[in-house]
Amino acid sequence: MKKRYVFATNNSHKLNEVRAILHGQIEVLSLKDIGCHADIPETGDTLEANALIKARYVKQHYHLDCFADDTGLEVKALNNAPGVYSARYAGEDCVARNNIAKLLNELQHTLDRKARFRTVIALVEGDSEYLFEGKIEGEITTECRGEAGFGYDPVFRPEGETQTFAELGDEVKNKISHRALAVKELARFITSRL
């Protein structure tokens, strides 16, 4: 029987991305799959803290091994903002296009457009906690390009590529992204003990 973990998310994009990266090596359940409809507050001021808050919540309330992630876009010219506030950069109830519009506006007179995506995954398994990180360097484009992906994907061009994440598509992104790198670290750790 496959080892089973809860991924503390209801974001179908993230869930599909993680399941694709893991190639079915373990069973990954969503919050919805376990009947968790709580809006787990992300009150930490770091990616690590937020990931741990979510994973600990599921472990404490559902007694299931769980991993959770938090991802931030860190833009050099903006002192690594939006960072931990990436999902709500343009306000609490904003959507991705609002965040992108604010980001492009903030950078409109900036030549240095270097940025990186960083994902931290917290795993709470039994009585132990583990952290895994993935990051990818790149830059912010001056306009949205591409239809795939989600979040800031239309304006993030990874180093060594001529296209944004949204242009590269999910198959390529799932091999090289910050989340892919963090999930691969998590997968290596889990599968080494199966």
Side-chain angles (χ1 to χ4, degrees):
M1 193 171 134
K2 276 187 199 172
K3 191 123 172 72
R4 173 184 283 189
Y5 292 87
V6 176
F7 179 21
T9 189
N10 277 318
N11 181 320
S12 60
H13 292 291
K14 280 188 185 182
L15 194 61
N16 291 336
E17 199 171 90
V18 165
R19 285 178 173 157
I21 293 164
L22 288 168
H23 305 296
Q25 293 170 294
I26 61 173
E27 187 179 352
V28 180
L29 304 173
S30 69
L31 291 175
K32 184 179 173 187
D33 292 334
I34 62 167
C36 177
H37 303 290
D39 187 14
I40 305 168
E42 295 181 39
T43 55
D45 56 6
T46 64
L47 300 176
E48 291 81 359
N50 280 340
L52 280 165
I53 287 168
K54 292 184 280 188
R56 287 170 179 160
Y57 181 93
V58 171
K59 185 66 176 179
Q60 182 182 351
H61 291 86
Y62 294 88
H63 312 291
L64 297 167
D65 290 337
C66 178
F67 63 91
D69 80 315
D70 200 20
T71 294
L73 175 67
E74 300 174 342
V75 181
K76 186 179 175 189
L78 301 177
N79 295 319
N80 290 332
V84 73
Y85 304 106
S86 293
R88 51 194 185 278
Y89 189 43
E92 280 304 318
D93 298 317
C94 67
V95 293
R97 71 175 175 274
N98 304 129
N99 288 329
I100 289 171
K102 179 175 180 179
L103 178 66
L104 293 179
N105 186 52
E106 299 266 332
L107 292 175
Q108 66 181 335
H109 303 296
T110 307
L111 293 177
D112 182 0
R113 301 179 78 86
K114 286 189 178 78
R116 69 178 179 184
F117 265 123
R118 197 163 67 89
T119 292
V120 173
I121 294 177
L123 169 65
V124 177
E125 184 183 56
D127 295 329
S128 301
E129 296 180 345
Y130 308 91
L131 291 172
F132 307 90
E133 183 185 72
K135 59 186 169 192
I136 185 164
E137 304 290 333
E139 68 178 19
I140 304 301
T141 58
T142 55
E143 61 187 12
C144 290
R145 299 188 340 222
E147 300 296 321
F150 61 100
Y152 295 93
D153 288 354
V155 294
F156 183 82
R157 185 183 61 76
E159 215 169 62
E161 299 289 341
T162 58
Q163 298 178 303
T164 66
F165 269 157
E167 291 173 299
L168 289 169
D170 293 343
E171 193 173 325
V172 174
K173 180 188 171 190
N174 287 349
K175 291 179 182 158
I176 65 168
S177 78
H178 44 293
R179 188 170 294 107
L181 297 171
V183 171
K184 283 173 188 163
E185 290 296 313
L186 170 73
R188 259 195 293 275
F189 177 78
I190 289 171
T191 55
S192 71
R193 299 170 311 136
L194 292 178

